[in-house]
Amino acid sequence: MNKNSLLAIFFILAFNIVKAQELPVKSNNIPYEKGKEYVLGGITVTGLQKFDEQTVRVYTGLINGQVIKLPGDKLTSAIKKLYSSKQFSDVDVYLSKIDGNTVYLRFNVTELPKLNKITITGVGKSKANDLKKEAELKRGIMVTENLIVTTRNYFKKKFTDKGFLKTKVALDTKKDTSDINTVDMFVHIDKGDRIKIKDIVFKGNKALSSSKLRRKMKKTKEKFFGRFWKASKYIQDDYNKDLKSVLDAYSELGYRDARILSDELTWNTDNTINLEIELEEGRQYRFADIVFIGNKKYTDEQLNSFLKIDKGDIYNSKVLKERISGDGTPDSQDLQTLYHNNGYLFSSVNAVETKVKNDSITVEVRIREDEPATIRKVTVSGNNKTNDHVIFRELHVKPGSLFSRQNIIRSIREIGQLGFFDANVVPDVKPDYQNKTADINFAVTEKGSSQIELQGGYGGNSFIGTLGLSFNNFSIRNIFNRKTYKPLPMGDGQSLSLRLQVSRTYETYSFSFTEPWLGGKRPQSLSVSVYLSNQYRYDYQTNKVDRNQSLQILGSTIGLGKRLQWPDDYFSLSQNISYQRIKLNNYGYRVGSSTDILNYGDLNNLSYTVALSRNSAGPSLIFPTYGSTFSIKAKATFPYSLVKKQNYTEPTNPTSQERQDYLADKYKWLEYYKLSAKGKWYVSLAKKLVLMSNFEVGYLGTYNNELGLTPVERFFVGGDGLSQGQLDGRETIGLRGYQNNRISSIDGGAIYNKFQLELRYSISDKPSASIYTLAFLEAGNSYDNFSSFNPFNLKRSAGVGVRIFMPAFGLLGIDFAHGFDALPGLDGGINPQKSGWQTHFIIGRQF
């Protein structure tokens, strides 16, 4: 000990908590009075390596001239601050001298060493770098005993969690001579072999077989040859969860007293383990009486219809809980939701076991209804581009209306269906119990809604260029307001689309506009579209294009749509009138049989379409997880031939010109009727996993058999389902695993049917990019007439694919599909070769 008197203040550091202890002062010719207040005259610091004295003084919080006690709270606080800075491993305070009422202190500190570099061996370089990042081992951090222990344990757990139960981690630090007070860390990891589970043995189980209990263990599996979808490994946390799943399985069968008496892990000589689980099942219970208490709004009979549990049913606590407070799905049928959907926001419903007699359990459902709550205020936030009224008009919650959980969920779906926001819409409900009201804010995240299509390619011996612009949140009322151009006037929910496609052999121009709320007060839509297409004759022998031989299609459509309230408000009715003129200039257009070739003339197609549809799928447009969509559509022209009673018998031995005149007159006004039905259902199987089922059927008919089937509006089945610039009313129906349109005859079919199952798994639902994978089974066919129609004669396929939705480019995807059946030959025969594997690229639409 030096000549200075020592004021020994010793501290114990445990789990970063410092406890100062007052020890007797050892006087060494510098007497001081315990508990007396002194004026701090100065602080010196010793033991420093990298820090300077002023930095340590600042850490202590002590100031010269400050009044302190020896010992006292201020001095204790100063030492705690130094420890809490995590820069020092030891702090001692000494009394330097006392001059009257002035005291001088010396802080002796031991600095913690800093980490210079870390070396991890025993694993690959990439894995080592990942471990450094995950453990947050960065150059410059202070190396403490706690850091060493936690790092060693973290690395070991990292591998034991993956089944390497015998992982060993050696960690050492060595002083780095290249810098002051720094150390290098060396870690060696010996993970050994992955430990697999040889046997899972249950004892004491009678009601459930051992195989059923093993299936209930989702993460802990026995090893066996061929298991590739779920590795056999032992992870303690997962094992504990699986043990709970075993007990849950018993509870769902009425064995509420089932318990695990013991579970033991034993090692085998082949470096595998066995798990032995001893059970006590107990007795099986059943529901006795179910008594409702406190219900005034609903009768016992009404509540029982929701609870769906009868006296004598096997006691299942899980089902009881779900029927009382919900299963977590949007359409949950439970008592709490029943009250919340009808204004009783502050209600509570609880089930209590009140009596257990022999094997019967009496349950009281205790209900506190309280008073109905109304919605005071509804707001939206996060919509930087979309105007408020576009969102508000879609909401099913209004100020002054009764609170309804169902209407909130429906509002979330409707916001998602707009396509302008991320699917994760978050409603913030702020209840006011005193006034029996609630405020609701819908927080949305805006995403890009406009899309650009810019393509260039080579096909049909010519370059094909495509430019498409789609603005799905347009504002036409601000089109002359320059201040709203960011870069275009947006925010009113209107759709505007422009598309141009040009090649040597054809050119197509189209424009469309949709106003979803005509007048702004009711959900009545107005849509207008105009298109023009020119197609030119191509000579495959000379590789030349003759623009004097052309087919021109000019068309326009105007339509009105309306959301219905009956049978429910998911229904909508749409109607449109369209006109199309097909102008032939020495082109050679096939209008009937192989000999019915029309070179000149105009074909006019004036039609009326009505469609009834229902769409309850949601909440996302891109990846629906529940609900369904279906539509029934009829499209028809006027039956000109029946009114005019024209004779369509072909002239005898006509000249070439007479035959052309006959065909031009026969098909001057096209006539047909067309019926179709489509339906899709979405079922959530697990988190992010959805099953989509689909069916489609279509029929194209004629009023007059003498006139025959119209040359337009045919069904073309096969391939990716994307239309390729044809504007003659044809419907392109995708059936992956086959070439485009190859299932139909060369002129298209009059009947088609299609069935589809698709399993989808969401990888990402971020606004910047929504990604999901899929696996599918499909079957369908195309038929020329009823005589060849056979709903069971289907072309089958299966495959896998991926979809990526990016707001700027729309939906992109690729599918790999295998067609199992033979293709129809172009000559009407059957190609004996199966379609086999096909690759399909998807742009701009979903199946």
Side-chain angles (χ1 to χ4, degrees), residues 382 412-413 415-426 443-448 619-621 764-770 807:
I412 294 173
R413 176 196 175 273
I415 293 174
Q417 291 293 298
L418 288 172
F420 310 148
F421 309 103
D422 180 21
N424 299 318
V425 179
V426 181
V444 299
T445 301
E446 201 103 40
K447 68 178 183 180
S620 168
L621 272 174
S764 170
D765 58 358
K766 295 180 180 179
S768 57
S770 298

Side-chain angles (χ1 to χ4, degrees), residues 561-751:
K562 181 180 181 180
R563 295 186 197 173
L564 305 178
Q565 298 299 316
W566 186 89
D568 62 39
D569 57 3
Y570 287 109
F571 279 86
S572 62
L573 179 69
S574 62
Q575 305 174 73
N576 70 62
I577 295 176
S578 62
Y579 171 75
Q580 186 180 74
R581 188 196 68 183
I582 302 175
K583 186 177 182 62
L584 302 172
N585 180 24
N586 195 24
Y587 187 77
Y589 186 67
R590 186 168 172 173
V591 292
S593 65
S594 59
T595 59
D596 290 340
I597 305 298
L598 182 61
N599 294 315
Y600 295 93
D602 293 345
L603 284 66
N604 298 279
N605 183 2
L606 178 64
S607 63
Y608 166 75
T609 303
V610 58
L612 178 67
S613 60
R614 186 180 189 272
N615 182 4
S616 62
S620 168
L621 272 174
I622 306 303
F623 191 81
T625 56
Y626 63 82
S628 62
T629 65
F630 79 83
S631 64
I632 301 173
K633 184 168 70 172
K635 183 176 183 180
T637 64
F638 187 75
Y640 306 103
S641 65
L642 299 182
V643 175
K644 295 192 301 182
K645 297 181 180 181
Q646 185 175 344
N647 182 7
Y648 290 101
T649 304
E650 185 175 346
T652 304
N653 299 322
T655 64
S656 176
Q657 185 59 48
E658 288 175 339
R659 182 168 176 75
Q660 285 293 306
D661 293 341
Y662 160 75
L663 292 175
D665 185 58
K666 181 179 179 180
Y667 294 106
K668 182 176 182 180
W669 288 97
L670 301 173
E671 60 177 66
Y672 58 87
Y673 62 91
K674 190 176 185 180
L675 307 174
S676 64
K678 300 178 182 180
K680 288 185 179 181
W681 290 264
Y682 300 92
V683 178
S684 180
L685 302 179
K687 186 178 181 182
K688 297 187 176 183
L689 185 66
V690 174
L691 177 65
M692 185 275 287
S693 54
N694 172 49
F695 89 93
E696 300 178 29
V697 61
Y699 173 69
L700 178 64
T702 180
Y703 301 114
N704 191 332
N705 291 331
E706 291 184 9
L707 190 60
L709 201 64
T710 176
V712 300
E713 303 289 339
R714 304 281 184 98
F715 300 113
F716 290 83
V717 180
D720 53 31
L722 300 180
S723 59
Q724 299 176 351
Q726 295 90 348
L727 300 175
D728 57 358
R730 67 178 62 189
E731 281 193 45
T732 304
I733 296 94
L735 190 61
R736 292 165 285 185
Y738 299 90
Q739 295 177 6
N740 287 355
N741 305 334
R742 281 286 283 114
I743 292 177
S744 300
S745 58
I746 191 170
D747 294 320
I751 306 170

